Amino acid sequence: MTSPNEEEKRPENEKKEKRPKIPRQPMHGQDPAVRIRNFDEVPYGYTDELAKLESSRCIQCKKPFCIEGCPVRIDIPLFIKKIKEGDILEAARVIKRDNCLPAICGRVCPQEDQCEKVCIVGKKEESVAIGRLERYVADYEAKHGRFEMPEMAPKTGRKVAIVGSGPGGLACAGELIKMGHDVTVFEALHKPGGVLVYGIPEFRLPKAIVQREVDYLANLGVKFMMNFVVGKIRTVDELMEKDGYEAIFLANGAGLPIFMNIPGENLNGVYSANEYLTRSNLMKAYKFPDYDTPIKRWKNVAVIGGGNVAMDGVRTARRLGADNAYIIYRRSHNEMPARKEEIEHAEEEGIQFRMLTNPIRILGNKDGWVRGIECIKMELGEPDESGRRRPVPIKGSEFEIEIDAVVMAIGSGSNPLVASTTPDLKVNKWGNIIVDREKTGRTSKKGVFAGGDIVTGAATVILAMGAGRNVAGAINEYLVYKAIGW
Amino acid sequence: MYEIVEKKVWFNEIKEFKIKAPLIAEKQKAGQFVIIRINENGERIPLTIAHKDLDNGTINLLFQEVGKTTMDLGRLNKGDFIMDISGPLGTPTHIERYGIVVCIGGGIGVAPLHPIVRAMKSAGNNVISIIGARTKGILIYEDLMRATSNELLITTDDGSYGRHGFVTDELKNLIDVRKIPINLVVAIGPPIMMKMVCRVTEPYKIKTIVSLNTIMVDGTGMCGACRVSVGGRTRFVCVDGPEFDGHQVDFDEMIQRQRQYLTEEKIAVERCKHK
Ligand SMILES: Cc1cc2nc3c(=O)[nH]c(=O)nc-3n(C[C@H](O)[C@H](O)[C@H](O)COP(=O)(O)OP(=O)(O)OC[C@H]3O[C@@H](n4cnc5c(N)ncnc54)[C@H](O)[C@@H]3O)c2cc1C
Ligand SMILES: Cc1cc2nc3c(=O)[nH]c(=O)nc-3n(C[C@H](O)[C@H](O)[C@H](O)COP(=O)(O)OP(=O)(O)OC[C@H]3O[C@@H](n4cnc5c(N)ncnc54)[C@H](O)[C@@H]3O)c2cc1C
Ligand code: SF4
Ligand code: SF4
Ligand code: FES
């Protein structure tokens, strides 16, 4: 027997068929035939009407699983409720309590593996499009909102240095400045944003959005020092001893290209994904000769790998004019770590997928340029440590693909520049900085914290951002309350 | 923004800037370079720090106009600004007391060689320098090199000054005729010159350091554009170098890789000329 009282407590998500079925609203975008000729953003984002419609699909769970699925625990039902009520700027405030970069995360978060994966609506039909709604809210705010000075704690006069201006560094800077500290971000490149500006292409994340976030932080008083390679112009020790920084957050990312160590990798026309994407994105080589940095407009390009980086590389190659742009991946379609949306977009754009294929040699012509790639067919064997079935080569199945260029997108390691110039900083065997278990980001060195890809290895924007925020809290406790020490 | 406080035109295409960059000057060691970007649309290019002045917080960059970026650079004047300068980059030259060190500079390679000569000399080495140029008119840094070296030898390809011939001819003379027991050779110049120097020293097993000028983008080990094969291993010139054991360097591969953007470079220069 259920009493009326219990009936009330029952989570709403178990009530059935109360609402008319509304399908998940699509996000319209550029036609594939058009977009492969430009670098403009692919999806247009929701209109007000579509956003409203989509927001009505959320059933406002009393026990919202979606929040559990979000690494920074945004109050998803609340912000969606605000959209439904038409108060978009309030929705933005709700999101910004937990995520300072919503326009970015709404675009690049692997939503289908996080918030949307556990959304209850997704059990019966397609889950609520949380990411698209988040993006809508952030874009609306950018267009209609006014600069709102957040609550700022009184100045403490304590100096904190942040190394790296990727999502980890930016998030940390945003929190620390609000806590009243004197914050300087040191960045090796000439533009702030980390992978958001040098790696992820314009057609997926317009650089103006990143710049807006940086400008916002600068308005709050965060100082940015560009062209500042920590470990070269200043070591971590010098920043502390000479320049008086009391705490340091290392968010220098996973910026070390990995090659396969197969013959032919130094031929002309072989690039790391980092080089290829940096030329195109950071240096705007796709606008050569209006911009000075050159990039080759190859007709036949193979990109090795199956992650987001590989998709970005191959879609860039296509936009630069490749008739044949291949993804060569040693496992099968199902194991590709790239976001589903990116794979779909790539397919629409005519990218050719060569699954269960592994390169063994890059072939060159007599002048030292790539002319082809020799591959071997693979099959899936027993599961390995990661739980994925291990690809094993099929004997005698070697074959060649004719190509002009190869882009290696098989992952990236940790750049040793900072760690190797900081003697008492402990790293693991992959060069990742070791931090303590309590999520404070404390390293082995007093006053030095770390987070983001340099700690976890190449991961995601939202995780780096979350780490940056957590560490900001820890740094504050270390500096002000002395609650954290060494 | 970095201000050009002095400009010297050595010859038509060879210019030297003194630039305000106190933090970089403070850290610079022999053998290190910077990466500059002139303006918003600019390319990132590496240039060696030829000289520094700690009191005034300046660094000197000497460059030869060979393409779009260096031509744009040459058009700047005293009082103009360079948008971005990152550095000092690269691993400094390993300086110790070797004994007799021969420092060889070809063309504008003499400029980056100069701080190394100074450092070698201060470390107590006996430094014999050989500098070479196509012709007398384009020889740079002669006085500076004479002042810092124990002995200075000069060659020109056309015989207009010094010995008629190549720097390698002077080097062979030191080894074969003067029988000088050389402990170390440092060579900086066009790749073909460095390759030839290595060919001379290899049979005598004289350790030879060369400074490589591969194409670079970030200069921090992030992109791999600058990679070369050294002793069969792939190394990154911007962080592992720019100096390497010349006998281990695959010069042919390096020269090939330097030519990757010839077509694009031509387009850029054409546009630049019409500005
Ligand atoms: C091509 C590409 C596509 C991606 N796509 C996605 C995606 O769709 N979704 C997603 O969630 N994630 C994606 N990622 C991963 C995501 O971008 C990263 O996980 C995230 O950017 C890590 O943030 P971070 O702050 O730790 O470091 P980074 O973003 O790597 O920033 C580190 C910064 O530190 C600077 N730095 C390094 N060394 C020094 C030094 N010595 N001194 C000063 N500064 C230094 C670097 O120049 C850089 O700017 C992608 C990554 C790549 C490369
Ligand atoms: C460590 C290092 C130190 C150097 N020091 C000096 C110096 O002190 N003075 C000097 O005059 N030159 C120096 N160079 C060479 C200088 O960087 C090139 O001459 C310059 O990049 C040419 O650019 P450009 O646009 O004018 O010419 P381009 O027409 O673009 O190129 C001419 C040639 O320069 C090389 N080059 C082109 N782009 C790059 C790039 N991004 N990075 C490196 N090389 C490139 C290529 O081999 C090319 O064929 C150095 C190079 C390196 C790697
Ligand atoms: S930040 Fe990412 S995981 Fe969190 S709600 Fe937004 S899209 Fe979902
Ligand atoms: S987004 Fe999904 S899980 Fe979250 S409250 Fe709405 S319906 Fe429930
Ligand atoms: S220039 Fe990018 S790794 Fe050396």
Side-chain angles (χ1 to χ4, degrees):
Chain A
M1 276 257 319
T2 39
S3 70
N5 241 347
E6 275 186 271
E7 173 80 54
E8 271 215 15
K9 269 193 250 156
R10 258 171 74 180
E12 219 175 318
N13 25 353
E14 286 172 26
K15 285 191 199 159
K16 278 168 202 156
E17 300 296 329
K18 276 203 68 181
R19 284 154 211 276
K21 272 213 174 143
I22 305 167
R24 180 175 161 114
Q25 295 304 304
M27 191 162 52
H28 300 294
Q30 285 193 71
D31 189 70
V34 175
R35 71 186 192 232
I36 57 165
R37 312 242 165 272
N38 66 49
F39 276 78
D40 300 339
E41 193 175 10
V42 171
Y44 300 137
Y46 277 157
T47 57
D48 296 341
E49 293 71 35
L50 285 179
K52 196 140 206 181
L53 206 56
E54 181 64 29
S55 70
S56 70
R57 297 183 65 234
C58 166
I59 56 173
Q60 294 290 315
C61 305
K62 298 233 171 68
K63 262 206 299 187
F65 292 127
C66 53
I67 300 186
E68 306 297 320
C70 170
V72 296
R73 301 183 54 90
I74 293 176
D75 192 338
I76 296 166
L78 185 57
F79 97 72
I80 295 184
K81 185 155 165 265
K82 295 295 166 194
I83 302 177
K84 215 170 353 183
E85 293 168 4
D87 194 351
I88 316 297
L89 292 179
E90 186 54 30
R93 272 178 223 115
V94 171
I95 297 175
K96 283 205 157 168
R97 291 205 301 249
D98 303 293
N99 181 353
C100 52
L101 306 171
I104 295 167
C105 295
R107 285 174 167 79
V108 305
C109 236
Q111 294 113 8
E112 63 278 11
D113 286 328
Q114 299 179 356
C115 53
E116 293 179 13
K117 184 179 183 176
V118 288
C119 166
I120 202 80
V121 172
K123 294 262 182 311
K124 287 258 156 64
E125 38 188 303
E126 280 190 285
S127 57
V128 176
I130 304 169
R132 292 173 183 179
L133 289 172
E134 183 176 350
R135 170 194 162 142
Y136 163 75
V137 169
D139 289 355
Y140 183 95
E141 194 217 11
K143 217 155 132 200
H144 303 284
R146 262 179 293 147
F147 174 76
E148 282 177 38
M149 200 64 180
E151 228 175 279
M152 305 280 283
K155 292 262 172 281
T156 64
R158 318 297 290 269
K159 284 173 75 177
V160 184
I162 294 175
V163 180
S165 63
L170 294 181
C172 190
E175 294 304 307
L176 287 169
I177 198 81
K178 285 188 255 172
M179 293 166 179
H181 304 301
D182 180 350
V183 185
T184 309
V185 177
F186 295 97
E187 168 56 51
L189 295 170
H190 56 263
K191 269 215 168 59
V195 169
L196 307 178
V197 294
Y198 80 70
I200 303 181
E202 179 79 14
F203 56 80
R204 211 148 68 76
L205 177 63
K207 301 309 149 216
I209 292 174
V210 184
Q211 192 55 46
R212 197 169 72 213
E213 301 301 341
V214 170
D215 291 343
Y216 172 77
L217 293 178
N219 268 329
L220 300 188
V222 174
K223 285 168 268 182
F224 286 89
M225 291 282 280
M226 296 295 112
N227 302 308
F228 198 104
V229 183
V230 172
K232 286 290 176 190
I233 191 161
R234 280 280 194 271
T235 62
V236 168
D237 284 314
E238 285 166 342
L239 284 174
M240 299 184 95
E241 286 154 23
K242 271 196 190 164
D243 303 328
Y245 289 95
E246 295 176 68
I248 297 198
F249 177 48
L250 301 177
N252 49 321
L256 186 77
I258 294 180
F259 290 93
M260 291 185 80
N261 290 320
I262 56 175
E265 270 184 316
N266 289 351
L267 286 166
N268 286 354
V270 183
Y271 313 91
S272 75
N274 281 357
E275 178 187 350
Y276 195 66
L277 292 170
T278 300
R279 279 183 183 277
S280 182
N281 301 322
L282 179 71
M283 305 311 297
K284 302 255 183 297
Y286 66 86
K287 295 186 182 167
F288 178 88
D290 288 338
Y291 281 70
D292 294 344
T293 307
I295 197 163
K296 290 278 182 190
R297 294 178 171 265
W298 299 112
K299 286 292 166 209
N300 307 288
V301 182
V303 177
I304 319 299
N308 286 324
V309 184
M311 294 308 141
D312 285 345
V314 80
R315 296 175 68 198
T316 297
R318 184 88 170 115
R319 280 162 176 73
L320 287 170
D323 297 328
N324 295 300
Y326 303 97
I327 281 285
I328 297 183
Y329 182 56
R330 64 196 178 117
R331 299 179 196 256
S332 73
H333 220 282
N334 296 334
E335 282 88 8
M336 275 202 289
R339 290 189 53 206
K340 211 171 114 233
E341 189 181 78
E342 306 314 326
I343 298 172
E344 284 167 8
H345 279 156
E347 282 168 340
E348 290 165 9
E349 289 165 13
I351 305 304
Q352 303 173 47
F353 289 77
R354 296 286 179 269
M355 298 293 102
L356 289 165
T357 303
N358 206 27
I360 47 180
R361 194 154 60 103
I362 302 169
L363 309 160
N365 65 19
K366 62 175 184 353
D367 299 321
W369 291 89
V370 172
R371 67 166 173 84
I373 189 162
E374 185 179 338
C375 300
I376 189 161
K377 290 253 180 236
M378 311 289 278
E379 59 190 351
L380 292 179
E382 296 298 305
D384 61 14
E385 317 85 64
S386 72
R388 296 184 298 181
R389 290 172 66 193
R390 188 194 302 274
V392 283
I394 304 173
K395 272 210 184 78
S397 68
E398 292 86 351
F399 68 104
E400 286 179 18
I401 308 177
E402 259 180 53
I403 44 161
D404 321 308
V406 182
V407 177
M408 290 291 171
I410 52 167
S412 54
S414 42
N415 191 315
L417 230 165
V418 172
S420 65
T421 50
T422 316
D424 37 2
L425 193 67
K426 286 213 174 74
V427 297
N428 67 17
K429 65 176 168 178
W430 298 283
N432 299 120
I433 299 175
I434 298 175
V435 299
D436 64 1
R437 263 173 260 114
E438 304 131 69
K439 295 217 165 173
T440 60
R442 262 186 314 186
T443 67
S444 56
K445 186 176 171 65
K446 186 168 190 280
V448 179
F449 300 75
D453 279 6
I454 188 62
V455 167
T456 55
T460 60
V461 172
I462 189 72
L463 285 174
M465 202 210 79
R469 285 177 57 109
N470 285 341
V471 170
I475 289 178
N476 195 45
E477 298 202 358
Y478 168 68
L479 290 177
V480 180
Y481 303 106
K482 308 276 174 231
I484 286 181
W486 263 262
Chain B
M1 299 291 266
Y2 299 80
E3 191 186 354
I4 300 166
V5 293
E6 227 176 279
K7 176 178 184 177
K8 177 178 165 100
V9 180
W10 282 91
F11 307 102
N12 293 339
E13 287 145 24
I14 302 178
K15 294 168 183 165
E16 184 169 359
F17 287 157
K18 179 178 278 189
I19 298 165
K20 194 108 197 144
L23 288 181
I24 299 174
E26 188 185 324
K27 257 310 180 67
Q28 181 269 354
K29 290 213 174 70
Q32 288 187 299
F33 62 94
V34 292
I35 286 196
I36 69 157
R37 193 178 71 127
I38 301 176
N39 53 36
E40 191 50 43
N41 293 12
E43 184 177 12
R44 295 170 63 97
I45 65 152
L47 295 172
T48 310
I49 304 170
H51 192 72
K52 72 167 166 205
D53 180 342
L54 277 181
D55 298 333
N56 294 309
T58 57
I59 56 170
N60 282 31
L61 303 177
L62 187 146
F63 59 94
Q64 180 167 17
E65 295 177 6
V66 294
K68 165 83 168 55
T69 303
T70 44
M71 282 162 71
D72 281 349
L73 196 61
R75 290 179 181 156
L76 298 182
N77 288 306
K78 184 179 167 180
D80 289 341
F81 290 85
I82 294 173
M83 196 168 195
D84 299 297
I85 303 187
S86 168
L89 300 171
T91 306
T93 313
H94 181 75
I95 304 288
E96 64 171 64
R97 194 165 168 169
Y98 294 93
I100 300 176
V101 178
V102 174
C103 292
I104 306 175
I108 56 152
V110 181
L113 186 69
H114 170 245
I116 300 173
V117 171
R118 273 170 90 121
M120 286 293 180
K121 182 88 182 296
S122 327
N125 291 292
N126 183 347
V127 182
I128 304 174
S129 297
I130 308 173
I131 61 176
R134 233 173 34 246
T135 182
K136 179 176 183 197
I138 57 169
L139 195 67
I140 55 162
Y141 271 35
E142 182 186 347
D143 299 340
L144 276 171
M145 290 294 279
R146 196 180 304 285
T148 36
S149 317
N150 295 80
E151 185 181 349
L152 179 70
L153 303 164
I154 297 170
T155 67
T156 49
D157 299 3
D158 64 359
S160 51
Y161 192 52
R163 174 192 278 261
H164 185 174
F166 299 120
V167 288
T168 39
D169 297 330
E170 270 303 353
L171 178 61
K172 278 188 215 140
N173 191 51
L174 290 180
I175 299 171
D176 294 333
V177 181
R178 290 172 58 185
K179 307 273 183 220
I180 293 180
I182 303 169
N183 299 94
L184 179 77
V185 169
V186 181
I188 307 183
I192 192 71
M193 179 210 97
M194 297 193 282
K195 182 179 167 180
M196 289 316 189
V197 166
C198 291
R199 204 169 272 176
V200 171
T201 55
E202 200 163 13
Y204 301 92
K205 299 209 162 42
I206 303 171
K207 190 173 170 190
T208 304
I209 301 293
V210 294
S211 180
L212 303 184
N213 49 348
T214 51
I215 293 177
M216 294 188 178
V217 183
D218 61 300
T220 65
M222 181 270 276
C223 77
C226 61
R227 65 195 190 277
V228 287
S229 297
V230 182
R233 265 180 71 202
T234 294
R235 309 294 302 274
F236 289 180
V237 172
C238 69
V239 284
D240 302 323
E243 289 164 17
F244 293 98
D245 176 350
H247 297 150
Q248 306 284 318
V249 171
D250 183 340
F251 281 103
D252 295 339
E253 180 190 277
M254 183 201 145
I255 291 168
Q256 215 157 53
R257 288 187 61 79
Q258 274 187 329
R259 297 203 183 118
Q260 282 190 77
Y261 294 99
L262 281 184
T263 326
E264 289 76 12
E265 284 155 8
K266 278 203 196 101
I267 296 172
V269 165
E270 276 314 305
R271 276 176 57 121
C272 184
K273 278 192 186 141
H274 293 129
K275 259 209 305 217

